[in-house]
Every structure is written in structure tokens, then in C-alpha cells.
Amino acid sequence: MSNSLYKKISDILFKYFGLACTFFGLIILCIFIQNILSAGIGRLDWNFLNSFPSRVASKAGILSALAGTLWIICLTTIIIVPVGIAAGIYLEEYAKKSTIGSLIEINITNLAGIPSIIYGLLGLEVFGRLLGMGGSILAGSCTLSLLVLPIVIVSTRESLKAVPKTLREASFALGASKWQTIWNATLPASLGGILTGIILAISRAIGEAAPLILVGALAYVPFVPNSLSSEFTVLPIQIFNWVSRPQKAFMINSSAAIIVLLGITFLLNGIAVYLRLKQEKRVKW
């Protein structure tokens, strides 16, 4: 067999192998969603969304978990947007190429791969104990912010890097300073990618339970949080609590809660895709 024929066969085999892997993942996902929908869609009603957890499965709802999840999403967004974008701009536009800078870049990239349980331990020690936040919503939001901040920083840097140099040079030619160029030209042109990174980061934060358990999120919270220092629970913890019970009725409740969680996640991912497509149509380099 000639070398060119060998490469051609290898390309074809790899193409179909990749296609098979993709369909395998999609089929597993479809089976999972179908099972969840068939088990929990009948339990979804207004009472389920508007009721607190209960020891009686038919009366149990997700109001406190849903409210805690919305609190966590909002606070995490408020923290990661300014910090993540500012850090990304500094590293991409201002930081000098040096050994220390390279180490910082490598560490930020690697932080995204650290298990979330480690962030939970860090959040427990720093926010819960040293800063005295305890098991509050604020401590949970700060911990999740640490977890997803590398995603925002990396996406901001990549979005800024994708802006052509000619745009910066045109701004400088008009007499603009570096900050004016970033604020008026570079940042608006990269906004689609940055927003996509932020939404994907929030989507990940919604599904995390391990770091919040360590920080102090409770499995049973019969009230809606009303301040930053309130105790809280979130949907993943509520689902875990119901799944761990032996009664079938609680399993149905957990399926219904998973549908709500999936709905929020799919909605956020849909917004991210829409923003990216809109940005691609608006900006053509």
C-alpha cells in the first residue's frame, strides 16, 4: 500500500470514527432527556414551582431552591463581569511579555481544569471562615466566581485577540489613546465573544453543587433568601437530596427539578449562540 493511499484511508476512518462518537453522545443525551421528561413532566405545575420543600413528596416544591439559584446567578454575574473583563483586558492589552506574565497566563488557563471540590474548600476557608461570611449566599457566589472566572478571562482575551490590528492602528492614527482605543473600538468589536464566555461560565455555575455544599448550602431550606447573608439552597442540591431518598415520588420530583434546571441551562446556552451569530453577522473582518 502506497503512503498516499494509507493517508487517505486513515483520513476516512478518522472521519467516520469522529462521526460515530458524535452520534453516540447525542443518542445518550436524547435517551437521558427522554427518560427525564417522561418521568417528571407530569409533576411540573405552578404548585411545584411555588412550594417549599416538604417531607411529603406530593406537597414538595422547588421555590427556595429556585430562588437560591437565581440569587447565586445574579451575584456571580455581578462579580465575574467587571473582574473577568478587566483582568482579560489587562493581560491582553497591557501586560508585558515576561516570565511572571507567562506564569500567570499558564496558571489562569490551568485553573479551569481544577476540580470544583477544591474551590469549595478554598471558599470555605477564605470566605466562610477568614472573612466571616459563613454559609451565606455571598460566600457561595464568591466561591462560584472563583470557579468560573478563568472562563471569562480566557474568553475575553481570545475575543480581544481576534480583533484585527488594523482597527487599533486606525484608532491610534486618529489620535486616540490606548484606553480610548480599547473602550471605543476594540471592546465593542469583541463584545459578542465576551458575552458568550460570560453566559457559558454562568451556565457552568448553575450546575455546580460540590463547592456550594462545602461552603454551607443546605439541603432543606423552607424560606426564600432575602439578603446576602441568608442561608440558601440551589437546584442541584435539592435534586441530590430527593434522588438520595428511597421513595419513588421523590424520584419523580427530582426529574421535574432536573427539567427546570435543564430549561435554564438550555435558555442561557441559546442566548449565547444567538449573541455569537448576531455578532458574526454584524462584524465581518
Side-chain angles (χ1 to χ4, degrees):
M1 184 183 297
S2 65
N3 192 32
S4 60
L5 182 59
Y6 174 76
K7 289 181 178 178
K8 189 175 181 180
I9 293 174
S10 299
D11 287 342
I12 294 172
L13 289 176
F14 183 77
K15 173 186 172 183
Y16 285 106
F17 176 73
L19 193 63
C21 291
T22 303
F23 275 106
F24 177 75
L26 288 175
I27 290 169
I28 296 296
L29 179 63
C30 289
I31 293 172
F32 168 73
I33 292 177
Q34 192 272 331
N35 286 336
I36 292 297
L37 287 176
S38 62
I41 195 70
R43 184 68 179 84
L44 272 180
D45 55 23
W46 177 246
N47 287 331
F48 182 73
L49 299 175
N50 198 38
S51 299
F52 291 109
S54 170
R55 292 181 175 83
V56 181
S58 59
K59 296 180 180 179
I62 59 169
L63 179 58
S64 55
L66 188 59
T69 300
L70 295 178
W71 267 93
I72 288 289
I73 293 173
C74 293
L75 286 177
T76 303
T77 305
I78 290 172
I79 294 170
I80 64 173
V81 168
V83 176
I85 294 178
I89 290 175
Y90 172 78
L91 290 172
E92 187 59 33
E93 301 287 346
Y94 290 97
K96 296 180 180 178
K97 300 297 179 184
S98 62
T99 306
I100 295 177
S102 300
L103 284 174
I104 292 174
E105 291 181 14
I106 293 170
N107 278 294
I108 288 175
T109 305
N110 290 336
L111 280 175
I114 293 178
S116 56
I117 193 77
I118 304 298
Y119 285 99
L121 291 170
L122 180 64
L124 173 64
E125 184 61 30
V126 175
F127 302 119
R129 293 174 180 170
L130 291 180
L131 299 181
M133 296 180 185
S136 64
I137 286 180
L138 185 58
S141 300
C142 291
T143 304
L144 285 183
S145 298
L146 288 179
L147 176 67
V148 300
L149 203 54
I151 301 175
V152 181
I153 294 174
V154 171
S155 65
T156 301
R157 293 194 62 191
E158 293 300 322
S159 301
L160 292 172
K161 199 179 295 182
V163 177
K165 289 183 179 178
T166 51
L167 191 64
R168 295 179 175 84
E169 292 169 354
S171 179
F172 290 140
L174 293 174
S177 65
K178 189 164 188 173
W179 171 244
Q180 288 173 328
T181 299
I182 293 171
W183 183 255
N184 296 314
T186 313
L187 203 53
S190 58
L191 198 57
I194 295 173
L195 287 175
T196 303
I198 291 170
I199 293 172
L200 293 178
I202 295 170
S203 298
R204 181 184 175 187
I206 291 173
E208 290 291 344
L212 295 179
I213 290 174
L214 287 176
V215 168
L218 304 174
Y220 181 78
V221 177
F223 54 84
V224 174
N226 55 13
S227 69
L228 297 179
S229 59
S230 296
E231 295 179 332
F232 70 103
T233 186
V234 290
L235 281 172
I237 294 177
Q238 185 66 70
I239 293 168
F240 178 76
N241 181 35
W242 281 339
V243 168
S244 61
R245 298 193 177 196
Q247 296 93 336
K248 186 179 178 182
F250 282 109
M251 294 294 291
I252 295 173
N253 282 355
S254 67
S255 298
I258 289 173
I259 292 173
V260 175
L261 186 61
L262 283 176
I264 297 173
T265 306
F266 287 159
L267 176 65
L268 290 175
N269 280 277
I271 293 173
V273 172
Y274 169 75
L275 291 174
R276 178 173 288 277
L277 293 176
K278 187 178 179 182
Q279 180 70 8
E280 287 177 353
K281 289 180 180 178
R282 189 172 69 88
V283 181
K284 293 183 178 178
W285 310 119

